[in-house]
Amino acid sequence: QVHLVESGGGSVQAGGSLRLSCAFSGSPSSDYLMGWFRQAPGKEREGVATIRTASDSPVYGDSAKGRFTISLDHAKKTVYLQMNNLKTEDTAMYYCAAGKSDSDVLNVLGYAYWGQGTQVTVSS
C-alpha cells in the first residue's frame, strides 16, 4: 500500500507560482512512477508530470513543458511540483499518484494509488 498526501494548493493570480508537495509512505516496488495529474470541472483527468524513482527521470505533459518542474526528495519521501507562470487554464484539482508503467507514463490507468487532491485556482 502507498499512502499519498498532497499540500500546497491555493489561489494565485495569473503569472504567479505555486509549489505542490506530495508526501508518500510505503512503496509498491523499487522502481515506480510518482506523478501529478489534474482535473478541471467537466474535463477528464490529465497527466501533468511524472518522475521515475529509480532514475529521477521526469516526463512532462504538453501543458507543463517549460513552466512546471517535478522533483523527488528520496530522503523525505516527497515529490514536488513547482509551477511557474501560472495561467487561468491551470485551475484544477491536482492529484498525486503512484504506479508502475513501462509506457504511456502519463496515462491515469498506470497508477494504482492516489491522493485526495489539492485545489489550485488561478485568477486573471
Side-chain angles (χ1 to χ4, degrees):
Q1 282 288 342
V2 180
H3 185 58
L4 306 163
V5 179
E6 304 99 333
S7 61
S11 297
V12 65
Q13 288 191 324
S17 299
L18 282 174
R19 189 177 79 157
L20 306 183
S21 300
C22 172
F24 60 93
S25 59
S27 60
S29 69
S30 60
D31 178 20
Y32 55 97
L33 296 166
M34 295 297 300
W36 285 100
F37 294 78
R38 69 185 186 185
Q39 188 166 20
K43 294 187 177 181
E44 293 186 354
R45 192 168 298 190
E46 66 166 332
V48 176
T50 192
I51 189 165
R52 190 172 291 279
T53 61
S55 61
D56 284 0
S57 300
V59 175
Y60 295 96
D62 289 340
S63 63
K65 291 177 181 177
R67 299 188 300 129
F68 296 178
T69 302
I70 189 170
S71 60
L72 176 61
D73 187 324
H74 293 267
K76 294 182 178 179
K77 300 191 77 173
T78 301
V79 60
Y80 302 97
L81 184 68
Q82 177 67 44
M83 305 186 294
N84 297 327
N85 190 21
L86 283 161
K87 305 175 181 179
T88 56
E89 51 262 45
D90 294 318
T91 294
M93 184 70 78
Y94 283 71
Y95 298 91
C96 179
K100 186 175 176 65
S101 177
D102 293 326
S103 63
D104 199 8
V105 296
L106 289 176
N107 190 317
V108 298
L109 297 178
Y111 293 78
Y113 306 98
W114 292 84
Q116 293 300 307
T118 185
Q119 178 68 38
V120 171
T121 302
V122 184
S123 59
S124 58

